[in-house]
Amino acid sequence: MKVCKFGGSSLADATQLNKVIDIVLADPARRIVVVSAPGKRDKGDTKVTDLLIALADAALAGENTDRQFAAVVERYASIADELKLGDDIVSEISRDIKGRLAQCAELSPAEFKDLMKAAGEDNNAKLVAVAFAARGKKARYAGPKETGMILRGEFGDATLDPESYATLSRAFSNFEGIVIYPGFFGYTKEGKVATFPRGGSDITGSILAAAVCADVYENFTDVDSVYPVDPRIVPEVKEGIPTMTYREMRELAYAGFGVFADDAVIPAVRARIPINIRNTNHPGEPGTMIQQSRRVVPGTVVGVASADGFCNIVVEKYLMNREIGFGRRLLQILESERIPYEHMPSGVDSQCIVIKEQYLPKEVERRVVATIKRELEPDFVTVERDLTMLMVVGEGMCYTPGMLAKACLALASAGISMSMVNQGSSEVSFMIAIRKQDRDNAVRALYKAFFG
Ligand code: ASP
């Protein structure tokens, strides 16, 4: 059995929805179809989820909500009209959203917002089921309530209660035919609607794939595959990545590959379900398969990624290596400020801590540097900002001499200086920090060196 998830751009209008139906019907194994809310039809458009958030905000502010309400219903109505689905489904959606709005006063603002946001996928799943019927094909709507998807944690940032796996698995074993399932939300034990973080339909798909032990989790989006480098930086890249391992995916996602969210696919990864990234607009393309292992050609790289927004705290102290507890006390200072750190490359008498800039605004930097000076009495401490992390990833690098040398040579030939180099013992990737202004040249140089 296959679980497929279609994102908002795959369901933005009637044409896209018909493509989705064609894809599902083309393979009888595609039995569970997770849908997002309708997304953007073009660059200037607004996602239904964002329209719903605007509607919820207006209701919470006690304003007149007619305009925002009409904007939401209109998105569904235009799809229903074009597909000639009849008025009933639009009236049902309109009633549903009114019913949710009526709960504004009874719920906390966070609960109410989640209830409104969830309307996007919930109503879309119902509409998609009706669209299948209009094409003479049976597909049933099933949602988190009926199947027991219980969430916990914060509203808007909920996580799955692991006990749900058993309930979901039982529920799906009773279904026959195609099931259309809304992504992005579930219910708390108390029966309140709660949503995952934004983009959370990926999480729903991944959970269901794990719950039913799917043969594959197909994640349909609007790119043919995952590319070995960002096509905005290297437009000539044509060939996608056919297969990669979960480890490679995680490393590339860490360094900014935006096609998939690494935390969204945790349930599928833990259950060892292969994940296939595919394009709704080119269903003939095999896409990228992400799985536990793959045949690896020694000395090859799967991707070159880059992520901006890093900074580096550099601490130097003569005879640092003999000072017991220095590293622990340094990290303790960050922990007290609730700052997560990314990497810790070191020299004999120097220690760098790479962190994301978002966690070190200027006033926090001042506090952290002052505490380091007071408690550790270093000879020198500074913060380097505007760093970009380059990442070269590939299981094929393991036990292959010269991979890092090749990268260094490529950067040197491009006249780019490196601020830091870091390679973990897994050898599946190495990282090089450079100045942000060198990013595009550096990525091009590395791409040429490893794929040229
Ligand atoms: N519709 C939600 C969002 O825009 C969830 C999703 O599409 O995955 O974030």
Side-chain angles (χ1 to χ4, degrees):
M1 188 197 318
K2 294 180 178 175
V3 171
C4 16
K5 179 258 165 179
F6 292 90
S9 64
S10 303
L11 293 153
D13 59 23
T15 312
Q16 291 302 91
L17 178 38
N18 266 329
K19 289 182 194 168
V20 168
I21 297 176
D22 290 338
I23 290 168
V24 174
L25 296 177
D27 183 347
R30 292 189 175 125
R31 292 259 327 277
I32 301 177
V33 181
V34 175
V35 296
S36 284
K40 291 184 184 190
R41 291 161 290 191
D42 50 57
K43 267 206 172 120
D45 202 11
T46 309
K47 289 174 163 196
V48 163
T49 307
D50 290 310
L51 294 177
L52 284 161
I53 292 170
L55 174 58
D57 286 341
L60 284 167
E63 293 165 7
N64 182 307
T65 55
D66 291 353
R67 185 175 51 82
Q68 291 88 342
F69 174 79
V72 173
V73 176
E74 160 51 29
R75 284 297 305 272
Y76 293 103
S78 75
I79 300 173
D81 272 2
E82 226 183 298
L83 295 176
K84 303 195 173 31
L85 303 184
D87 291 338
D88 289 358
I89 181 67
V90 183
S91 311
E92 188 186 331
I93 292 171
S94 167
R95 257 198 318 277
D96 171 82
I97 296 171
K98 272 196 189 132
R100 289 174 195 250
L101 276 173
Q103 296 180 52
C104 182
E106 302 154 25
L107 300 175
S108 74
E111 292 168 356
F112 176 66
K113 256 192 155 161
D114 270 15
L115 178 71
M116 294 304 295
K117 283 193 294 188
E121 334 316 270
D122 204 21
N123 286 303
N124 209 27
K126 289 175 186 161
L127 184 136
V128 171
V130 173
F132 269 83
R135 299 246 320 237
K137 305 288 172 191
K138 253 182 107 177
R140 94 192 284 284
Y141 160 93
K145 188 168 239 165
E146 174 184 359
T147 53
M149 184 175 289
I150 303 299
L151 307 193
R152 59 190 188 189
E154 277 173 46
F155 288 95
D157 192 22
T159 53
L160 185 78
D161 180 336
E163 286 176 16
S164 302
Y165 282 115
T167 333
L168 287 165
S169 157
R170 261 198 311 280
F172 277 96
S173 67
N174 293 327
F175 294 150
E176 278 171 16
I178 300 165
V179 174
I180 315 292
Y181 198 95
F184 192 36
F185 75 98
Y187 286 82
T188 64
K189 276 209 165 105
E190 294 72 37
K192 300 253 160 66
V193 169
T195 67
F196 294 119
R198 290 300 301 270
S201 300
D202 281 344
I203 308 178
T204 307
S206 164
I207 289 169
L208 295 190
V212 304
C213 291
D215 298 316
V216 58
Y217 171 33
E218 292 183 319
N219 195 311
F220 281 88
T221 168
D222 51 10
V223 291
D224 282 346
S225 58
V226 180
Y227 289 98
V229 70
D230 187 337
R232 287 168 304 186
I233 302 178
V234 183
E236 62 271 25
V237 58
K238 291 284 173 302
E239 290 223 357
I241 303 172
T243 53
M244 66 170 126
T245 64
Y246 296 133
R247 282 205 306 178
E248 289 170 331
M249 172 202 71
R250 161 81 181 120
E251 306 263 345
L252 288 171
Y254 173 81
F257 267 42
V259 188
F260 40 76
D262 47 0
D263 47 357
V265 292
I266 291 170
V269 172
R270 292 221 171 105
R272 303 264 194 275
I273 312 286
I275 301 161
N276 192 190
I277 310 279
R278 304 188 66 152
N279 191 345
T280 306
N281 303 312
H282 298 145
E285 294 292 329
T288 297
M289 191 66 96
I290 307 165
Q291 55 208 23
Q292 174 65 14
S293 59
R294 66 180 181 94
R295 268 196 42 213
V296 170
V297 180
T300 54
V301 155
V302 82
V304 171
S306 66
D308 299 335
F310 287 88
C311 62
N312 189 13
I313 305 178
V314 183
V315 186
E316 289 178 11
K317 187 171 185 184
Y318 191 61
L319 298 181
M320 179 191 284
N321 65 326
R322 298 205 202 149
E323 197 172 320
I324 291 171
F326 190 92
R328 179 187 52 73
R329 284 183 289 145
L330 184 54
L331 288 179
Q332 182 68 55
I333 294 169
L334 295 185
E335 190 177 341
S336 322
E337 290 281 350
R338 311 280 313 140
I339 300 172
Y341 79 92
E342 306 293 319
H343 315 287
M344 260 187 104
S346 63
V348 177
D349 283 338
S350 69
Q351 181 67 63
C352 299
I353 309 188
V354 180
I355 56 185
K356 296 213 168 124
E357 264 174 326
Q358 74 205 70
Y359 298 112
L360 201 71
K362 279 285 175 199
E363 72 276 11
V364 179
E365 174 185 326
R366 271 193 289 276
R367 257 200 325 266
V368 166
V369 169
T371 317
I372 291 175
K373 282 185 178 159
R374 197 177 56 246
E375 294 187 6
L376 298 173
E377 297 174 340
D379 300 328
F380 176 75
V381 51
T382 189
V383 175
E384 298 172 352
R385 287 190 173 264
D386 284 333
L387 294 179
T388 288
M389 201 62 78
L390 300 170
M391 190 112 151
V392 179
V393 178
E395 304 260 6
M397 298 201 296
C398 297
Y399 311 116
T400 309
M403 301 302 283
L404 184 56
K406 204 173 185 174
C408 294
L409 190 62
L411 294 177
S413 309
I416 295 162
S417 135
M418 304 181 292
S419 302
M420 181 211 82
V421 177
N422 195 9
Q423 183 191 287
S425 55
S426 78
E427 284 192 61
V428 71
S429 74
F430 56 78
M431 275 167 244
I432 300 174
I434 54 163
R435 270 177 292 277
K436 188 177 162 193
Q437 71 254 30
D438 293 331
R439 181 198 54 204
D440 290 4
N441 281 341
V443 170
R444 283 188 210 113
L446 291 178
Y447 178 73
K448 207 164 146 219
F450 290 105
F451 295 91

